Amino acid sequence: MTWEEYYDKFYDWAESTQIKKLSSVEKYGSAEEVTEIMMEFAFDHEDIVNRMARKAIEQKIVFSAENIRDLTNFVDPSLQARLAIQSVGNFSRDDLELLDGFLDDDVLVKLYRSKGLKVLEMLDDGDYDNLPSVNMDEVMERAKQPTGFFSKLAMAFGIGAGIHQGLSTAGGKKNLKFRVGDHVRVRYRGQEGTIIDINGDMYMVSLADGSHVDSFYENQLERAW
């Protein structure tokens, strides 16, 4: 059976027939249609979605960034990553930014590097003296999302900036801007919380929902009220 025949009749069939007929389709069609059918099976048949992903990889089908994003949580992450890597040739920088938070960091690094973009060449390796040259306003704006690579990147830049600004001075103890109990806001992502401990130049903050604690440097925080 051709993909065209399968796709045209798909919604007329019972689910059992949809599954049975899929096995007879040798070559898949467009990425948009393939993604659509994968999503139809996503909630009850993850095994079929994964099988379709493997066949799409074998057939080197090029997916859009939106397709890759939409498959999040419905396909095995390793297969999603392979689909993204296979399709990266058609991705723009905006497409890569769209995928931030939907793919693992190491996969994003590979995608950015394959496009010759340096902004993702540093994760948490501590190499703050050799941070890539980027537009920090852009990084900080995009890092406002609660998860994703750019939140980590902004954190790293904040740490690097703190080191270079001399948060630990050779002449003595630094006068701290905040104290335990102060209500603060994380500059680059807008989350609010309360300082619960201070360890050297690091402030331990219990975020507003009370379910997460993270540490920040002074230049990463501002008073909330």
Side-chain angles (χ1 to χ4, degrees), residues 83-102:
L83 290 172
I85 292 170
Q86 169 173 297
S87 307
V88 70
N90 280 5
F91 289 172
S92 66
R93 179 161 185 153
D94 287 342
D95 289 330
L96 296 180
E97 293 172 2
L98 175 68
L99 293 172
D100 182 27
F102 295 96

Side-chain angles (χ1 to χ4, degrees), residues 85-143:
I85 292 170
Q86 169 173 297
S87 307
V88 70
N90 280 5
F91 289 172
S92 66
R93 179 161 185 153
D94 287 342
D95 289 330
L96 296 180
E97 293 172 2
L98 175 68
L99 293 172
D100 182 27
F102 295 96
L103 296 171
D104 289 343
D105 293 341
D106 60 336
V107 178
L108 284 171
V109 169
K110 290 179 182 178
L111 297 180
Y112 270 75
R113 284 177 173 169
S114 71
K115 302 295 288 186
L117 300 173
K118 295 183 178 181
V119 69
L120 294 187
E121 289 189 357
M122 184 276 302
L123 274 167
D124 296 324
D125 58 7
D127 187 12
Y128 303 119
D129 291 323
N130 296 290
L131 294 176
S133 176
V134 298
N135 183 328
M136 280 306 298
D137 290 337
E138 177 187 353
V139 172
M140 293 303 184
E141 179 63 28
R142 287 165 53 202

Side-chain angles (χ1 to χ4, degrees), residues 17-60:
T17 304
Q18 293 171 342
I19 296 172
K20 180 179 179 180
K21 294 290 187 181
L22 180 62
S23 299
S24 67
V25 179
E26 294 185 3
K27 184 174 178 57
Y28 287 170
S30 70
E32 291 292 334
E33 293 179 354
V34 172
T35 301
E36 179 186 340
I37 300 303
M38 292 171 77
M39 295 297 294
E40 288 295 322
F41 287 124
F43 291 98
D44 298 315
H45 300 284
E46 184 178 347
D47 58 326
I48 296 177
V49 178
N50 287 336
R51 174 155 53 90
M52 291 186 69
R54 292 187 188 96
K55 194 160 186 176
I57 292 169
E58 291 174 2
Q59 296 181 6
K60 302 187 184 305

